[in-house]
Amino acid sequence: MSREYETVIGLEVHVELATKTKIFCGCKTEFGGAINSHTCPICTGMPGALPILNKKVVEFAMAVGLATNCDITRLCKFDRKNYFYPDNPQDYQISQLYLPICRNGKVEIEVGDVKKEIGIHEIHMEEDAGKLVHDEWEDISIVDYNRSGVPLIEIVSEPDMRSADEVIAYLEKLRHTIQYLGASDCKLNEGSMRADVNISVREVGKKEFGTRTEMKNLNSFKAITHAIEGERARQIELLEMGKDVIQETRRWDDNKESSSSMRSKEDAKDYRYFPDPDLPPVSISEEWIKKIKDSQPELREEKLVRYETEYEIPKYDAEILTETRQVAELFEETSKLCDNTKMVSNFILGEMFRLLKEKDMDGTKIPFSPEHFAKLVKMVDKGVINIVVAKEVFEVLFKEDIDPEEYVKAHDLGVISDENELSEVIDRILAENPQSVEDYKGGKGKALGFLVGQTMKAMKGKAAPQKVNELLHSKLD
Ligand SMILES: [Zn+2]
């Protein structure tokens, strides 16, 4: 009889913080730029250069810690993690081992309809390394220190996840929370959020964990799912053959859909950590914590509840409207200005997301103002334009942020409700469609809809539908 196995997963998630300058110097954190153009003696590890801690990094780390129910360490410290690699100019990385800024947190995830708590072991602050650029043609490698010293937080979970679905739900939860806080844009594909997955298997019912491996190089949800499934199968196969799983770091290759050993997994002792003598401990007061807590925006899970109760929006729609803080803010501000939540929501869910997708945008930048958007909704409400025209105007609004009132006036898109003009067109439509007229008179109500449609078409969508209906009735009844 074959044995049943359970997958045990813990995550180490690195998040690049959205500060303007690096963690220990005044260099820009901006992505790109000529090689080594955002550098100075501190972030290139010159002898004698002294780091100075960026206060904003501490505040972002605290904000994330508070939003994930962590305890904030009142006196936290930085440590040196020693290792040699060319992208690490000091030969050590400044990180936190002994007294990380946040500990003992938890977040709630939902998979299907099942809710579950995932523990957060700790969150610590550290600096990013530089980047090696390998030139295939010249047979040389260039080291670029622009990324060296960019602030990171590392969020270490407890081994509480049991499936790829739970891992994705946990990452989504972190991403939404951190994006709402404005602490990072959390883009897996651009490297501002990176996940290392620790995974082991054990027979169902056993208490002790199996030997874990760490999977690196996972830059999409698809890669994470495949890597977890692949590694689970590989470990089970080893155990079934009576072999041991070796504790190691493995690199996932999403093209080959397989992993290979990178190096044996290190423990903290391999890095000879010791307190960084150049940086004083960070003392965090109750007032400071309170200040960060008070400035926390409404987070996504709170918005989801409020949207369902206050606006009576279905859960599925609410989830899309709150996908990014920017979309949620657009929805709320526009609704406030025009007082028609339903229509605002329809435009966002239908038209706007279609256009975002077309332009390959992700909803973190909204290219038009809530004021203009609200004007458009009001014009539909008042019957100045009909919905067909409104959708066309919305598309121009999305592309150029025009003032809908001016645009409609300039392009003569207002609804036509002039009786003489409409009457003339309707007479022509009736003459062209004798069969439909006969059907209607014979009791087929459907035929009226067809005649309305034909009239609207002839008026290029600008006729007032109610007026068309009235006139048709008066002519036919
Ligand atoms: Zn610098």
Side-chain angles (χ1 to χ4, degrees):
M1 202 180 93
S2 77
R3 281 166 290 193
E4 250 191 89
Y5 291 91
E6 174 180 51
T7 321
V8 176
I9 309 163
L11 251 61
E12 291 165 20
V13 177
H14 285 91
V15 174
E16 247 177 39
L17 297 176
T19 54
K20 292 199 172 67
T21 54
K22 294 184 179 181
I23 183 167
F24 299 121
C25 63
C27 294
K28 278 193 277 187
T29 51
E30 212 174 277
F31 185 75
I35 284 178
N36 292 314
S37 59
H38 303 161
T39 54
C40 72
I42 294 172
C43 56
T44 51
M46 293 296 158
L50 287 172
I52 298 165
L53 178 61
N54 182 341
K55 188 177 169 189
K56 193 73 200 162
V57 173
V58 182
E59 297 194 332
F60 275 150
M62 276 160 72
V64 176
L66 291 168
T68 51
N69 309 295
C70 289
D71 299 329
I72 306 293
T73 311
R74 298 301 190 272
L75 198 73
C76 73
K77 281 183 180 173
F78 285 98
D79 304 293
R80 289 185 179 178
K81 179 183 183 180
N82 297 279
Y83 68 95
F84 171 78
Y85 200 69
D87 66 6
N88 173 24
Q90 303 149 134
D91 284 351
Y92 59 81
Q93 178 194 27
I94 306 179
S95 180
Q96 297 190 294
L97 177 74
Y98 301 107
L99 292 168
I101 184 162
C102 310
R103 282 188 285 210
N104 301 326
K106 56 173 189 268
V107 294
E108 192 181 71
I109 60 163
E110 206 178 325
V111 176
D113 278 330
V114 183
K115 287 184 178 162
K116 181 175 175 179
E117 243 170 39
I118 306 296
I120 290 178
H121 183 73
E122 67 170 67
I123 302 176
H124 58 254
M125 301 177 279
E126 60 186 28
E127 55 180 343
D128 208 346
K131 226 181 213 171
L132 291 179
V133 187
H134 304 292
D135 191 322
E136 287 171 40
W137 307 102
E138 299 258 5
D139 204 19
I140 54 162
S141 290
I142 292 163
V143 61
D144 178 7
Y145 289 128
N146 282 351
R147 202 179 65 181
S148 166
V150 166
L152 299 175
I153 48 171
E154 180 175 342
I155 305 165
V156 183
S157 84
E158 298 292 353
D160 288 344
M161 286 158 270
R162 296 290 175 268
S163 68
D165 286 344
E166 289 184 9
V167 169
I168 305 297
Y170 170 74
L171 286 170
E172 286 280 31
K173 181 68 172 225
L174 289 184
R175 182 170 70 85
H176 283 127
T177 305
I178 297 168
Q179 277 180 346
Y180 266 73
L181 293 168
S184 174
D185 58 9
C186 293
K187 289 184 179 166
L188 275 174
N189 57 345
E190 289 178 16
S192 56
M193 186 177 194
R194 293 168 240 160
D196 298 336
V197 177
N198 285 294
I199 172 168
S200 64
V201 296
R202 65 177 168 192
E203 260 184 78
V204 171
K206 278 208 172 157
K207 279 258 178 308
E208 63 274 20
F209 293 127
T211 306
R212 71 195 152 101
T213 58
E214 183 181 8
M215 305 286 284
K216 279 194 181 292
N217 199 32
L218 306 169
N219 52 16
S220 70
F221 285 157
K222 193 181 104 225
I224 289 170
T225 306
H226 289 172
I228 290 170
E229 282 159 6
E231 183 59 10
R232 175 189 152 88
R234 191 188 69 89
Q235 290 188 12
I236 291 174
E237 199 181 315
L238 284 172
L239 297 176
E240 287 285 310
M241 290 191 298
K243 292 183 181 168
D244 289 331
V245 174
I246 299 163
Q247 186 175 338
E248 61 185 352
T249 301
R250 299 181 68 85
R251 185 199 309 271
W252 176 254
D253 186 329
D254 207 36
N255 293 322
K256 290 187 196 153
E257 296 215 348
S258 69
S259 66
S260 53
S261 181
M262 254 170 98
R263 57 173 184 259
S264 66
K265 169 115 179 114
E266 314 80 355
D267 280 321
K269 64 177 181 340
D270 298 312
Y271 290 109
R272 298 158 8 258
Y273 277 94
F274 64 88
D276 192 304
D278 290 340
L279 285 156
V282 184
S283 166
I284 297 173
S285 65
E286 296 303 323
E287 291 95 296
W288 198 8
I289 294 175
K290 187 176 180 306
K291 202 188 118 202
I292 299 297
K293 220 181 227 167
D294 291 346
S295 62
Q296 214 92 309
E298 186 183 33
L299 294 175
R300 185 179 187 236
E301 57 202 58
E302 296 155 343
K303 276 196 197 297
L304 279 172
V305 174
R306 192 163 62 80
Y307 281 21
E308 283 182 67
T309 51
E310 188 180 317
Y311 300 125
E312 292 173 349
I313 288 176
K315 187 178 177 192
Y316 178 77
D317 291 354
E319 279 173 356
I320 304 174
L321 288 172
T322 55
E323 175 56 28
T324 66
R325 181 178 163 182
Q326 290 81 358
V327 172
E329 280 170 358
L330 172 77
F331 167 71
E332 289 179 35
E333 281 168 37
T334 311
S335 295
K336 224 180 277 167
L337 291 169
C338 69
D339 206 26
N340 188 339
T341 312
K342 184 81 194 128
M343 200 186 295
V344 173
S345 153
N346 284 346
F347 267 113
I348 293 177
L349 297 176
E351 303 307 300
M352 191 179 90
F353 273 100
R354 178 178 60 79
L355 292 164
L356 284 173
K357 204 173 163 197
E358 253 176 52
K359 301 251 174 289
D360 205 14
M361 291 161 69
D362 60 6
T364 52
K365 281 203 183 86
I366 307 295
F368 57 90
S369 72
E371 287 77 17
H372 285 166
F373 185 13
K375 270 190 183 179
L376 180 68
V377 174
K378 275 189 191 162
M379 287 165 83
V380 181
D381 259 347
K382 287 186 190 150
V384 180
I385 52 173
N386 65 38
I387 193 72
V388 181
V389 170
K391 284 182 181 174
E392 285 164 24
V393 177
F394 185 87
E395 199 156 336
V396 188
L397 170 72
F398 183 91
K399 283 175 187 150
E400 297 163 39
D401 194 20
I402 41 97
D403 180 327
E405 276 172 17
E406 286 170 20
Y407 185 85
V408 165
K409 214 181 266 171
H411 293 81
D412 193 23
L413 295 171
V415 155
I416 296 165
S417 46
D418 180 73
E419 275 195 27
N420 292 334
E421 195 178 347
L422 286 176
S423 194
E424 221 170 275
V425 176
I426 289 174
D427 287 341
R428 202 182 76 224
I429 297 292
L430 294 180
E432 283 169 4
N433 298 282
Q435 186 60 51
S436 298
V437 174
E438 207 172 296
D439 287 351
Y440 178 75
K441 287 186 172 164
K444 285 187 186 161
K446 258 191 181 171
L448 188 75
F450 174 76
L451 294 167
V452 173
Q454 290 300 303
T455 311
M456 292 302 281
K457 203 169 153 194
M459 300 293 294
K460 295 198 174 77
K462 292 196 295 180
Q466 216 181 330
K467 206 86 207 167
V468 173
N469 260 304
E470 277 172 33
L471 284 168
L472 272 168
H473 274 294
S474 74
K475 283 175 197 290
L476 291 170
D477 295 343

